[in-house]
Every structure is written in structure tokens, then in C-alpha cells.
Amino acid sequence: MASHAANLWVLLGLGLAGIFLMTKRLKKTIKADFGAFIQKLELLPPPQPAPPKAPHPLTGLNFAVSDVFDIEGYVTGFGHPDWLKTHEPSTRTSPVVLALVEGGATCIGKTVVDELAYSIHGENKHYSTPTNPAAPARISGGSSSGAAVAVAADFVDFSLGIDTLGGIRVPAAFCGVIGFRPSYGVISNTGIIPVSSSLDTVGLFAKDPSTLRRVGLVLLQLPFSVQRNPKQILLADDCFELLKIPKDRISQVVTNSTEKHFGRQVLKHENLEKYFSSKVPSLKEFYSQKINGDSKISSLTLLANVAQILQRYEFKRTHGEWINSEKPVLDSAISAQINETLDMTDKEIEICKLVRTEMRLAVNNLLKDDGILVIPTTAYPPPKLGSKEIFSDDYQNRSFSLLSIASISGCCQVTLPLGYHDKCPVSVSFIARHGGDRFLLDTVQTVYSSLQEHADTVAKSKLSPNAVKQEHSAEAVKEKGNQAYKDKQWQKAIGFYTEAIKLSDNNATYYSNRAAAYLELGSFLQAETDCTKAISLDKKNVKAYLRRGTAREMLGYYKEAIEGEFLHFMFQVFCIVIFICKPLHLLDQSEMKTKDYDCSCPVWICMLFENFVE
């Protein structure tokens, strides 16, 4: 006995030692702040105004800023220690940061950015790479990597970054948080180190749509307006073809949520490649001037090229002198891009700027005041840390083809998380016209919870993408049948319900609805058969029982009608009466638990009623 006890103590000791070693290793791998912060500080809001004045709009919120925003008394580091060494502390705080502090929020620190805020990967060898809380073995995305991580890890309520070619949208997508790139020029860039002056936009990360909207309205300084619902939601079909995960994993979620809130008629489809080819003629001129090779190069790929050239050209024009004099040690990939010779004539730069002007007009005309364009945020799930995948041509082309749409047009875009696929965060992006920022934020507020619900349902579904598509088609046909039934077109309704059954033959509602139409036509035998099938698929389908009772009565099967439908009806009434009258403390607790009823509240009563009234 003593020997057995001693062995147990030895095992317990080994177990604790193992836990200690694992914890120590984990702490070495993941910092306490996930490597998000480069510097902690505190900027406190002013005192609350005396009543009856309203409190500050951002009271109770805290935030962090990427290390490209000036804060008085601190050197803005720009993601590189050599920049930090060669620059003086800021003499004033960025107006954007001041507006948030004066609005009642507390700033608690500066966060890591990519080297010189240049790439979209989030890996910084000088300050270590922030750990992605949503997928620790994967990159967090850049350039505003630390700001996204700070929100994803719940260190702050929101954070600020800068988006040039995805600096907000990519880390938001990879870390599973909301990312907002406002319309170009609507928020001041004063007090922010520029990357590319014609593309840079102050951006925002938030964990929930309410915080996003609160902060967004303060930043944008928008007047009150009545909330409007979108009249068209455009799915960019060709953009979804760029995805490296099943496209239905995202498009199905958006479709279901749109139908729930705004109706099927709002949903439309668009091919952006064709649209931009016809509406942005300067792309052809850019192609003839600069691109050699495949004559079938897509307009989205051309947009990606224009965006990258503009970024490189403007970055070198702004920071080239410092790079040449200080010769900072840069990541090889960033160094290659920055130092690549750009033989750009003034005419070619003007063409790039013309593309930008035409793109804004094209997107504004496509969406008008009440349209939302839906695209994937990124084509790839977040790559693994240290992966070479991020440098491949395919990764670059697909990524920037999607990111360049808002960057070049200057339109506003929100990245929204949609759960996980293969343990990696999934997202979708909504784009509104330039200046449609409030409309976009209102739309996000309306549909966000529904998107999360449908994302959860689709993620848990074991159906193949093709099966999901068939289910969706079946629902669409059923709705047509319902409309025909309402219009008293019984035979037409039967045809639609039959088509729905062919697409999805395990849905009790389709059979029960077809039975209702058969009853109207006097086809009682067919109605009885359909109802029996519906009941075999769903024992709780009361409508099917009642319709079968009607069919059997008309066929003269009185005994079967009474035994089947009446007894089923009376049994459910009996169960409800017994359970309501029986004191809760006399209920069999184990039985309730097996039925997943909560014995601590009257919800179980509703669960029982559900069988009766459905």
C-alpha cells in the first residue's frame, strides 16, 4: 500500500514538473502581450462634462496605436531601430489620436509594425513577430500587425493602424477581428509617417461592430443621418474564384444573411474583371506602356500592378534619401522591392493616377449610394510562420488583386471575421462607394450577428460544397412554390416543390408543402403519401400530421385518421398539461438533462410547446 502511494507521489511530481517545463517553454515562445506592443504609455481623456451634458462618446474604451502615429515626447519608430535612432521625439500628437483621447478613450501604448510599415506579412525580425492569437503557428499579417494582435488578444477595445495595400485588412482577416479602411482622404494623415501618400488611409481594428461604429463616427466626424438598408449587395463572383478555400464557405454565409435581413431580390452577382475592363480604359493604356507578355492578363492583375508600382514609387520618393544615407538592414524581400529599379516616366505615373481616378468613378457608379460590394479579403488563409509561400507569385498576385480594389479606388472597406476553416480564421469584406462610410458602418451593425450565426452553421455543416449549393437551390425553388401556392396556382406550386425534393429529398417541409397543394387539387392519396414521408423525416412536423388527417378523412380512412392524427395531437396536449402542472422539483432531473432542458428556468416548457405549435 505504501509502495503504491509512493508511486502515485512520483507520478504526480513528474506531472507537475512536466507542466512547469511546458509552461516555461510556452512563455519563451509567446510573450505575455503576444509581442503586440513596442512601448507602453498612457494618454488619459479629459474629465467628464457636468450634467446635463452627455458624457464623452468613447468613455470606458482603451486603445493602442501603430508605431507610425506621432505621440508628443516619443520617437515614432516606423518598425525599424535605425529609424528610431536617427529621429527626434515628436513635438506634437497626431490629431487622430488626440480626437480619440478627447472623445473619452485612453491610449495605452504603441504597437509593432512591419519594417517601415511596408509589407502585408507582419514579420519583423528587429522586434520579433507578434503572435497571432487566433492561430499561433501562423503569421498575423501586416503592416499593422501589433495593433490587430492587441485587439484579438483583448488587450484593448480597438486600435489604430495604417492601410496602404492591406495594412489593416490583412491582419484583421488573419487574426479574426474587424478591420475598417475608411474612404481615402476622409481622415487626416497629419502626424503619421507616410508610406504611399496617394494610398495611405488611417484604419481601425475592433472586436465588435458596436465599438467599430462608436469609434468610426468620432474619427469620421459624421453628422447624424437616418440609417439606410442596402438596395443591392453584389457578390463579385470572379473574386471568389481566387480563393484557396472552398468559396461556398464564405459566399453561402453572405447569401443566407442577406436573404434574412434584406430579401433575396437584393442579392446580385458581378464580374469585376469584365466591369473594370470596360469602365477603366486607362488600364489598357497602362498595360501597353508597362506590361509585356500575356495579352490576356486580367484587369484585376493590372490593378495589383498599378497599386504596387504607386506604393514603391511614392515610398522611394519620400524615404529614398534616408535609406541611401543610413543603409538600414532590411528584410531581403522588402529590400528587393524597395531597391528595385523603377524606370517610370512621368507619363506612366500619370497613367497610374488616371487609373485611380477612373477606378473611383467606376466603383461609385457600380454601387451608387445604396450598394455593397462583397469580396474575399484575402485569397489565402494565414500562411505558417517562416513560410516561403508569401513570396510566391501566386500568393502576391491573388492577394493584391483583391486588396487593390479599395486601395486604388479610395472606397471604404470593412473586413469581417466569419469563424474558422481548417483551424484558420476566415473573413469577408464589404465595400461601399467613396464617402459611403456611415452607410457601410450601419450595414455592418445590421448584419454582423447574423453573419456570425450563419458562419457557425456553415462551419459545422458536414455537407460538401456541392451539397450546400444544392440545399440553397432547393430553398430558392421552395420559395417559388410558396409564392405559387399563395397565388392559388396549385399545379405550378406542386411542380416547384417537386423540383425542390429532387434537389434535397430529406427535407420534411418540401413534402408537407406539396401535400398542401395536392389537398387543394383533391389529390388526397398523393397528399397522404407525402405527409407520411414528411413525418418519417420529422416526427415533430405537426402540419404534416394535420394534413395527413385531412387526406385520410377524405379517403375514408377514419380509423387511421383518428389513431394517427388525433392521438398524436392529444398526446402532445397531455404532455404539456402534465409537465406544466407537475411541480418542477418532482421532475426527473436526469431525464431533463438527457433532453438538454435547463431545469433552472422555464425554458423547458417552451421546448415542449415547440413540438406542438411548430
Side-chain angles (χ1 to χ4, degrees), residues 126-164:
H126 304 290
Y127 299 111
S128 78
T129 299
T131 300
N132 184 342
R138 310 240 168 196
I139 64 175
S140 55
S143 62
S144 304
S145 52
V149 168
V151 172
D154 286 322
F155 296 128
V156 292
D157 298 300
F158 68 94
S159 59
L160 293 184
I162 190 169
D163 190 304
T164 305

Side-chain angles (χ1 to χ4, degrees), residues 184-212:
Y184 176 79
V186 299
I187 298 176
S188 170
N189 284 350
T190 303
I192 302 167
I193 300 176
V195 176
S196 175
S197 58
S198 68
L199 303 175
D200 292 344
T201 302
V202 173
L204 172 66
F205 297 103
K207 203 68 179 288
D208 62 81
S210 296
T211 303
L212 176 77

Side-chain angles (χ1 to χ4, degrees), residues 34 44 84 125 145 156 170 175 197 200 213 265 274 341 381 385 391 447 463 471 480 485 490 508 515 540 557 614:
F34 285 77
L44 296 174
L84 199 67
K125 64 184 179 183
S145 52
V156 292
V170 173
C175 294
S197 58
D200 292 344
R213 192 171 182 276
Q265 71 281 357
K274 292 181 179 178
T341 303
L385 289 165
F391 303 117
V447 304
L463 294 175
E471 290 276 355
K480 291 181 180 178
Y485 186 90
W490 319 122
K540 299 187 294 181
Y557 302 159
E614 192 175 66

Side-chain angles (χ1 to χ4, degrees), residues 267-303:
L267 199 65
K268 296 177 173 57
H269 295 266
E270 186 64 59
N271 184 299
L272 292 184
E273 151 64 23
K274 292 181 179 178
Y275 182 77
F276 290 150
S277 291
S278 62
K279 300 296 182 180
V280 189
S282 54
L283 278 174
K284 294 178 182 177
E285 191 175 357
F286 169 80
Y287 168 76
S288 64
Q289 290 279 335
K290 205 66 194 164
I291 306 298
N292 297 315
D294 187 2
S295 60
K296 295 181 180 179
I297 188 168
S298 76
S299 57
L300 291 177
T301 302
L302 288 172
L303 274 178

Side-chain angles (χ1 to χ4, degrees), residues 256-378:
N256 292 344
S257 183
T258 298
E259 290 176 354
K260 175 181 176 180
H261 284 285
F262 311 119
R264 178 181 295 275
Q265 71 281 357
V266 170
L267 199 65
K268 296 177 173 57
H269 295 266
E270 186 64 59
N271 184 299
L272 292 184
E273 151 64 23
K274 292 181 179 178
Y275 182 77
F276 290 150
S277 291
S278 62
K279 300 296 182 180
V280 189
S282 54
L283 278 174
K284 294 178 182 177
E285 191 175 357
F286 169 80
Y287 168 76
S288 64
Q289 290 279 335
K290 205 66 194 164
I291 306 298
N292 297 315
D294 187 2
S295 60
K296 295 181 180 179
I297 188 168
S298 76
S299 57
L300 291 177
T301 302
L302 288 172
L303 274 178
N305 281 309
V306 169
Q308 288 172 291
I309 286 173
L310 274 176
Q311 180 191 21
R312 200 174 309 156
Y313 173 79
E314 292 178 347
F315 183 90
K316 289 186 73 172
R317 189 176 60 180
T318 305
H319 303 300
E321 185 178 338
W322 178 82
I323 291 173
N324 292 333
S325 62
E326 296 299 329
K327 295 182 173 46
V329 178
L330 298 172
D331 178 85
S332 58
I334 295 175
S335 178
Q337 291 184 42
I338 292 175
N339 293 318
E340 181 181 337
T341 303
L342 272 179
D343 298 325
M344 298 289 292
T345 64
D346 290 342
K347 181 182 179 182
E348 288 163 349
I349 293 299
E350 287 304 313
I351 292 173
C352 288
K353 292 178 179 178
L354 183 59
V355 169
R356 193 176 61 210
T357 301
E358 291 178 355
M359 267 293 293
R360 180 175 301 181
L361 185 62
V363 176
N364 283 0
N365 285 339
L366 177 67
L367 300 179
K368 300 182 173 59
D369 288 336
D370 49 23
I372 297 289
L373 177 65
V374 182
I375 64 170
T377 308
T378 58

Side-chain angles (χ1 to χ4, degrees), residues 542-562:
V542 175
K543 288 181 179 179
Y545 281 101
L546 297 176
R547 287 166 183 165
R548 187 171 70 172
T550 301
R552 285 178 171 179
E553 183 183 357
M554 299 305 295
L555 289 168
Y557 302 159
Y558 302 114
K559 182 180 178 181
E560 290 85 347
I562 292 172

